Amino acid sequence: MKRNLLLISLLIPTIFLLLAGTFPPRPTLYLIGDSTVKNSSDKGEGGMWGWGHFIGNHLDTTRLTVENHAIGGRSSRTFLAEGRWDRIMATLKPGDFVMMQFGHNDAGAINDTIRARGTIRGIGEETEAIDNLLTKKHEVVHSYGWYIRKYVTDTQAKGAIPIVLSLVPRNGWKAGKIVRATDSYGTWAADVAKKEGAYFIDLNEQVAAKYDALRDSITLQTTYFVSDHTHTNAAGARLNAATVIEALGQQKACPLNRYVVNRSRKY
């Protein structure tokens, strides 16, 4: 009997190692973007929330880890320049997912002493060399599309799955409808995703259609926004998160759908 117990105790570590080798590591969903994805410290300061805080409510987080690396004030350029993407790349593995949503801050100044976060408009290969007035470093600035393309191709090179999202719309109206980004960042995000074979969610259009239903800016402001026309309250962030999941369902081939558990959850 003692001999059998000794044998079992010696075999247990080996069995655990064998079992660990038969199950793939749990995938991670990385979120990258600006304050509309994660606002401040993600604790609702000033009543503001990003949709990334609520996306996990729709996913099976016992099988999928969600990491929200978005940060307020960043553009597709500064998220990269600050080394935030490098830190994700250090842990990104095959089977992981990266959802990326930039654009709100890319229209800023390319070089100034306040933020220096702008990107060149479009998706081309043109560059602008600057001595950054804010960071005091020499920098080569690329187009919005170049940065999105880098995130996509870097993700693919790691065996992970990129999902490009167009930016959520602001509370801005024209002719009775929310202003879409069809002539800028929304279309540019779609173009890069198509050319690089990435999944694309037109969050700009799908959220705008829901905003349209409220019929005017005052109602929309009090329902889904805080003190400005860009940052959402908890209800607005939940709406946007639910819309991401709804739109994901339209990308039926995307493996992230396997982890959706509350697709019909209301806002």
Side-chain angles (χ1 to χ4, degrees):
M1 184 65 175
K2 290 183 178 178
R3 183 178 296 174
N4 289 340
L5 290 173
L6 178 61
L7 181 61
I8 291 171
S9 67
L10 291 173
L11 286 174
I12 284 175
T14 302
I15 292 170
F16 274 114
L17 287 172
L18 289 172
L19 287 174
T22 60
F23 295 101
R26 183 163 66 172
T28 297
L29 168 61
Y30 293 91
L31 306 178
I32 64 174
D34 54 37
S35 59
T36 62
V37 185
K38 184 172 77 174
N39 196 277
S40 298
S41 62
D42 206 26
K43 295 181 180 178
E45 293 93 334
M48 294 184 284
W49 292 93
W51 61 257
H53 180 85
F54 298 99
I55 198 77
N57 294 343
H58 302 269
L59 300 167
D60 184 354
T61 53
T62 66
R63 298 189 299 125
L64 175 76
T65 300
V66 179
E67 292 190 13
N68 191 352
H69 290 260
I71 181 168
R74 272 53 180 191
S75 65
S76 61
R77 164 192 164 193
T78 53
F79 191 90
L80 177 68
E82 292 174 357
R84 299 178 186 278
W85 181 240
D86 289 339
R87 290 194 284 274
I88 292 172
M89 285 292 289
T91 58
L92 191 66
K93 62 186 183 298
D96 284 346
F97 303 89
V98 178
M99 275 188 171
M100 57 196 78
Q101 184 221 275
F102 289 101
H104 282 294
N105 300 314
D106 282 74
I110 286 179
N111 197 12
D112 63 10
T113 59
I114 302 172
R115 293 191 176 96
R117 61 188 181 185
T119 55
I120 297 171
R121 292 175 59 83
I123 63 173
E125 294 295 333
E126 60 268 39
T127 61
E128 182 175 336
I130 65 169
D131 292 316
N132 194 310
L133 297 172
L134 182 64
T135 66
K136 309 302 181 185
K137 296 179 181 178
H138 185 76
E139 183 181 0
V140 177
V141 179
H142 300 267
S143 72
Y144 166 80
W146 185 94
Y147 291 103
I148 300 300
R149 188 157 49 247
K150 177 172 177 57
Y151 295 133
V152 167
T153 56
D154 282 358
T155 299
Q156 292 169 333
K158 285 279 191 172
I161 300 165
I163 304 170
V164 181
L165 290 78
S166 55
L167 68 173
V168 291
R170 291 183 166 97
N171 183 7
W173 295 73
K174 184 177 182 180
K177 288 185 175 294
I178 285 290
V179 175
R180 272 70 163 170
T182 51
D183 61 345
S184 58
Y185 300 99
T187 295
W188 298 336
D191 288 346
V192 172
K194 182 178 180 179
K195 289 180 179 179
E196 301 302 332
Y199 293 103
F200 176 68
I201 290 176
D202 194 354
L203 193 58
N204 188 263
E205 172 57 37
Q206 298 212 22
V207 171
K210 293 178 179 179
Y211 287 175
D212 284 346
L214 295 182
R215 299 182 180 276
D216 66 80
S217 64
I218 295 175
T219 303
L220 178 59
Q221 188 73 32
T222 57
T223 305
Y224 291 136
F225 287 83
V226 285
S227 58
D228 59 45
H229 68 334
T230 301
H231 297 101
T232 50
N233 58 21
R238 288 191 185 97
L239 173 84
N240 293 343
T243 306
V244 170
I245 295 297
E246 290 171 11
L248 179 66
Q250 298 164 14
Q251 303 286 331
K252 298 187 183 303
C254 182
L256 185 57
N257 281 298
R258 301 170 189 165
Y259 304 94
V260 175
V261 291
N262 290 314
R263 195 179 302 280
S264 60
R265 182 170 183 155
K266 295 302 179 183
Y267 332 125

